Amino acid sequence: MLFRSSAKHVPGFIEQFDAFKAKGVDEIWCISVNDAFVMGAWGKSLGADGKVRMMADGSAEFTKKIGMEFDLTARGLGLRSQRYSMLVQDGVVKQLNLEAPGAFEVSTAEKLLSQI
């Protein structure tokens, strides 16, 4: 399972870790356009260890390949990722929940849990 990171996203997936495991989810990943050091420190500060794997996509290669890039260069932020949650089973995307800009409704941990 993959999901786009934010301060709202990660805590929900950490809190719902046991519920995801009960539904057969092997791993929960948070992928963000940041470097590994930022992701490690962020995960540690949130208590994600053993629950959510914090994955760095520093050059946005993964983000670009799945078509989730969001160009905020004009605002001084460079290439970022759109907010989403994704359920992947055996390498196949089974569910993709893409948020509208600025929204936090369809990609929550609770919403993804309801779709499994």
Side-chain angles (χ1 to χ4, degrees):
M1 174 186 322
L2 310 171
F3 64 96
R4 167 64 177 92
S5 63
S6 83
K8 294 178 181 177
H9 264 141
V10 180
F13 283 86
I14 292 170
E15 291 168 11
Q16 297 295 332
F17 174 78
D18 290 332
F20 280 106
K21 285 299 202 179
K23 289 197 173 208
V25 172
D26 294 325
E27 293 189 40
I28 301 172
W29 293 8
C30 172
I31 299 175
S32 184
V33 181
N34 279 307
D35 64 53
F37 300 105
V38 167
M39 295 303 288
W42 186 24
K44 185 174 182 176
S45 74
L46 293 173
D49 289 344
K51 294 184 177 182
V52 175
R53 186 180 292 211
M54 305 298 282
M55 304 293 288
D57 186 22
S59 298
E61 290 301 315
F62 176 81
T63 299
K64 288 186 264 185
K65 287 179 180 175
I66 65 169
M68 291 293 164
E69 71 273 12
F70 186 51
D71 192 353
L72 292 175
T73 303
R75 295 184 182 170
L77 298 172
L79 194 62
R80 310 308 301 162
S81 177
Q82 296 182 68
R83 181 176 292 145
Y84 63 91
S85 64
M86 180 187 299
L87 178 66
V88 179
Q89 185 176 23
D90 298 324
V92 176
V93 175
K94 298 292 186 173
Q95 186 66 45
L96 176 63
N97 301 314
L98 178 61
E99 289 288 358
F104 183 63
E105 299 169 3
V106 301
S107 64
T108 66
E110 293 78 12
K111 177 69 174 181
L112 192 59
L113 265 172
S114 75
Q115 297 170 323
I116 299 175

